[in-house]
Amino acid sequence: MGYRPSPPTSPSSDTEAPKNELVGGQNQTGKQQDPQLEASVRLLRALTEAQLEFIQGSNARKLFDRLLEVLLDLTSSEYGFIGEVLYTDMGVPYLKTYAITNIAWTDELREQYHRLAPQGMEFRNLKTLFGTVLTTGEHVISNTPDEDTRAGGRPHGHPPLKAFLGLPFKSGKEMVGMVGIANRPEGYDTSVIEFLQPFLATCCSVILGWRSEQQRRHAEEMLLHREEELRRHRDHLEELVHIRTEKLLKATQELEKQQAQLILSEKLASVGQLAAGIAHEINNPLGYVMSNLSTLTQYVATFTRLLGLYRAFGTEVGPTLPPHQAEALGRICALWEQEGVGEIESDVKELLNDCQEGTQRVKDIIQSLKSFIREEAGEPRLVDVNKELMGTLKMMMWSDLKHRCEVRTEYGEIPAIVGYPTQISQVFTNLLSNAAQAIEDRGEIRISTQQEGNMVVVRITDSGVGMTPEVLAKLFTPFYTTKPPGKGTGLGLSISYGIISRHQGRIEVQSKLGSGTTFTLKLPVAPELAGTPASRGTPTAATGS
């Protein structure tokens, strides 16, 4: 049977002939145009437009939908498909459609068609007419499908299959895809195959181009993905380097801090040993002086009583004495009055009292110094915070505190803490020394202790110059000081912070420039003594005068 393509009854806008071309098989003179030539012209026009649209970036599936419409129209076929040949991991071919006629005959199949057709429907049953094309790579013409052993049957309700043509298209030896059309009234023959060769070539080039485009896009996506992954790795590495750098910096700072504290501790230990020796050497002669002063006081008391008796005796017997004795008594009385023996008696008592008080103060200072410089050894023990504060104040009263300020204390009932007395005293010394130095002329330092929950709280407030927020931020940094060069190491508060931290406590600061500063120490109560007062101090005012 020869190929006689039927002219379309309703040509699409894509293939509508211009007015100067053949329309409906006739030219403008009314003469009949060769139907086969007209069909070839329409096919070539459609293929040219399809290739142009593909080059311009049109969607491949929409492009194949229009090509399928043209194919069915030009061949007078009822339905068909255009698809790509793919392979499973086992090398078995299957078909994935780019365009397919909707021949669904149930609601379920219609829903499935609308859901799957846009992405491409897959057909893997090779015991069919199109499966024969996939397995052999050759075209299949079947004008009597019901009698064709290659057909493999149809599902119940499937539209009638009166004729079928399956055409593979290849690139070299590779089968790229296939076209399937069905139910041409005249059936199919080799002339149809020859007529559709340009169509097959176009489908092959479009699919190969689409594959290349997909591969390019996939390569770009992979490149972007790898670049993003590389960026994440780089950011992660930078973050790790930053974290490790911070850790190294903190470790270095901590090491420098510990080294500085170790150096200072060694210096303090040397100074402590020297002070201990000096205190011991002073303590021995001081004992002699205090003992002699006590004895001298007793002797002076005896002389004072004896002088009183002499004076009473002279007053009583003076009038009865002979002239020469009366003259001698008169000289004695004159000298008594001239030298002010009565005032001397009073002054001697005051002088002795002052000497005894002074030597007692020296003794107290020596005792406080010995207590302060004693080495911490063994396990931590119970510490009476009030007692340590009093001892520190007594030792410091003759230094900066004496000349700069009035100290007011308010000791509350507080339980003992567990720790090292010497270290606690060192903290109090540092804070009190800083408070005194912050006062420019005369000022006041207030010290209070109290219990808040399971914490012993010590507050030391001065009326000094205060601090700026910038100074507060660096206050506990080792070697940081606002004092002139040579006036401080910048380690006192850093060491104090470390001591309080090792005692499981906290040190807080509130300060405002021009309004003074308050240091608050919070130390945990000894667990076995929680809630039990250890000491009760008496409010005092030490003027230092």
Side-chain angles (χ1 to χ4, degrees):
M1 179 174 62
Y3 173 58
R4 298 186 299 278
S6 302
T9 57
S10 56
S12 64
S13 59
D14 292 338
T15 60
E16 184 176 355
K19 291 183 179 180
N20 63 348
E21 294 186 1
L22 299 175
V23 180
Q26 293 182 348
N27 58 19
Q28 293 179 347
T29 62
K31 294 182 180 181
Q32 185 72 28
Q33 176 82 8
D34 182 1
Q36 186 171 357
L37 177 60
E38 180 186 3
S40 298
V41 171
R42 293 179 57 209
L43 177 61
L44 291 175
R45 183 187 298 120
L47 295 180
T48 301
E49 293 176 353
Q51 290 177 337
L52 181 59
E53 289 184 20
F54 179 73
I55 292 173
Q56 293 174 345
S58 177
N59 182 275
R61 297 192 181 279
K62 292 182 179 179
L63 187 62
F64 278 116
D65 283 339
R66 287 198 293 274
L67 286 176
L68 180 60
E69 290 178 6
V70 173
L71 175 64
L72 295 178
D73 188 26
L74 290 176
T75 61
S76 299
S77 298
E78 186 177 348
Y79 55 85
F81 61 82
I82 303 174
E84 182 180 9
V85 177
L86 302 174
Y87 296 87
T88 65
D89 295 337
M90 302 297 295
V92 179
Y94 67 94
L95 181 70
K96 184 173 182 179
T97 63
Y98 278 99
I100 184 170
T101 308
N102 184 1
I103 59 172
W105 58 92
T106 66
D107 291 339
E108 180 181 356
L109 290 176
R110 280 188 283 274
E111 187 277 330
Q112 186 178 13
Y113 174 85
H114 290 298
R115 179 167 49 86
L116 297 179
Q119 296 92 275
M121 303 178 71
E122 295 181 0
F123 297 93
R124 298 175 182 261
N125 183 7
L126 300 181
K127 296 180 180 181
T128 58
L129 293 174
F130 82 85
T132 303
V133 177
L134 298 183
T135 54
T136 63
E138 303 295 334
H139 69 263
V140 170
I141 298 176
S142 179
N143 291 318
T144 56
D146 291 337
E147 301 174 3
D148 197 325
T149 57
R150 299 171 297 178
R154 296 186 303 277
H156 177 71
H158 190 284
L161 182 62
K162 302 173 184 178
F164 175 79
L165 173 62
L167 300 175
F169 46 86
K170 302 179 181 179
S171 175
K173 294 183 179 181
E174 177 191 2
M175 184 164 56
V176 177
M178 72 167 288
V179 170
I181 51 179
N183 293 357
R184 182 170 182 264
E186 300 93 333
Y188 300 99
D189 57 21
T190 56
S191 63
V192 180
I193 299 176
E194 293 176 2
F195 174 74
L196 293 178
Q197 287 306 309
F199 186 89
L200 298 177
T202 299
C203 290
C204 184
S205 64
V206 171
I207 289 180
L208 290 175
W210 180 249
R211 282 183 182 177
S212 299
E213 179 66 15
Q214 292 297 100
Q215 291 173 356
R216 183 186 66 80
R217 292 181 181 179
H218 178 70
E220 289 180 351
E221 291 177 357
M222 290 297 297
L223 180 60
L224 291 174
H225 175 73
R226 289 176 180 176
E227 288 179 350
E228 178 64 22
E229 187 175 1
L230 180 61
R231 186 190 63 79
R232 288 198 303 268
H233 284 310
R234 184 179 67 250
D235 293 344
H236 181 62
L237 287 175
E238 289 178 355
E239 184 180 0
L240 288 178
V241 171
H242 180 69
I243 292 174
R244 291 179 180 177
T245 302
E246 285 188 344
K247 289 182 178 179
L248 181 60
L249 180 60
K250 290 180 180 178
T252 303
Q253 291 175 344
E254 184 65 23
L255 183 61
E256 291 176 351
K257 178 180 177 181
Q258 293 177 357
Q259 184 178 12
Q261 291 179 347
L262 180 61
I263 293 172
L264 183 61
S265 297
E266 291 176 352
K267 290 182 178 179
L268 290 175
S270 300
V271 172
Q273 292 176 357
L274 178 62
I278 294 174
H280 178 72
E281 294 301 325
I282 293 175
N283 201 41
N284 288 335
L286 181 64
Y288 306 150
V289 173
M290 293 186 69
S291 176
N292 291 340
L293 280 174
S294 178
T295 302
L296 181 60
T297 301
Q298 295 176 6
Y299 291 167
V300 168
T302 302
F303 290 147
T304 299
R305 288 196 301 272
L306 183 59
L307 287 174
L309 292 175
Y310 281 150
R311 186 172 184 178
F313 176 77
T315 302
E316 183 177 349
V317 302
T320 62
L321 290 177
H324 66 282
Q325 292 178 343
E327 182 182 355
L329 180 60
R331 288 196 301 271
I332 292 174
C333 290
L335 181 62
W336 185 292
E337 294 298 331
Q338 181 181 348
E339 298 297 333
V341 174
E343 295 178 0
I344 290 176
E345 287 184 84
S346 177
D347 287 345
V348 166
K349 292 181 181 179
E350 292 180 4
L351 289 174
L352 289 174
N353 289 336
D354 290 343
C355 288
Q356 288 180 325
E357 182 179 350
T359 53
Q360 183 61 45
R361 286 181 179 178
V362 174
K363 180 179 180 181
D364 291 342
I365 291 173
I366 295 300
Q367 187 62 37
S368 297
L369 183 62
K370 290 173 65 177
S371 175
F372 181 75
I373 62 178
R374 68 181 183 272
E375 294 183 358
E376 301 286 6
E379 297 295 325
R381 54 185 181 272
L382 294 179
V383 179
D384 185 339
V385 173
N386 284 343
K387 181 179 178 181
E388 295 301 325
L389 264 172
M390 293 176 188
T392 303
L393 273 175
K394 185 180 293 184
M395 182 181 65
M396 296 188 64
M397 189 54 66
W398 308 104
S399 59
D400 289 337
L401 296 183
K402 175 181 179 180
H403 306 289
R404 290 176 177 268
C405 55
E406 179 180 4
V407 180
R408 297 187 179 275
T409 61
E410 185 177 350
Y411 300 115
E413 292 186 3
I414 56 174
I417 66 169
V418 175
Y420 297 96
T422 299
Q423 294 182 8
I424 297 298
S425 294
Q426 184 178 358
V427 172
F428 293 154
T429 301
N430 291 337
L431 296 182
L432 288 171
S433 177
N434 285 347
Q437 293 172 7
I439 297 173
E440 294 181 342
D441 296 323
R442 290 287 296 180
E444 179 182 83
I445 295 177
R446 296 188 304 275
I447 302 172
S448 67
T449 61
Q450 63 186 81
Q451 181 179 358
E452 295 180 2
N454 290 328
M455 305 293 284
V456 170
V457 180
V458 180
R459 288 185 174 87
I460 299 176
T461 302
D462 65 68
S463 59
V465 296
M467 292 177 281
T468 64
E470 292 75 17
V471 173
L472 280 174
K474 303 176 182 178
L475 196 59
F476 297 106
T477 303
F479 305 108
Y480 178 77
T481 178
T482 58
K483 300 174 184 178
K487 296 294 184 180
T489 63
L491 291 172
L493 289 177
S494 174
I495 292 174
S496 298
Y497 185 89
I499 290 174
I500 297 301
S501 297
R502 288 194 295 272
H503 281 74
Q504 309 301 317
R506 303 194 305 273
I507 180 168
E508 302 170 356
V509 189
Q510 293 84 36
S511 183
K512 185 177 180 182
L513 191 62
S515 300
T517 302
T518 297
F519 281 88
T520 302
L521 308 181
K522 296 183 178 181
L523 296 162
V525 175
E528 64 273 17
L529 297 177
T532 303
S535 64
R536 171 69 177 182
T538 302
T540 63
T543 63
S545 57

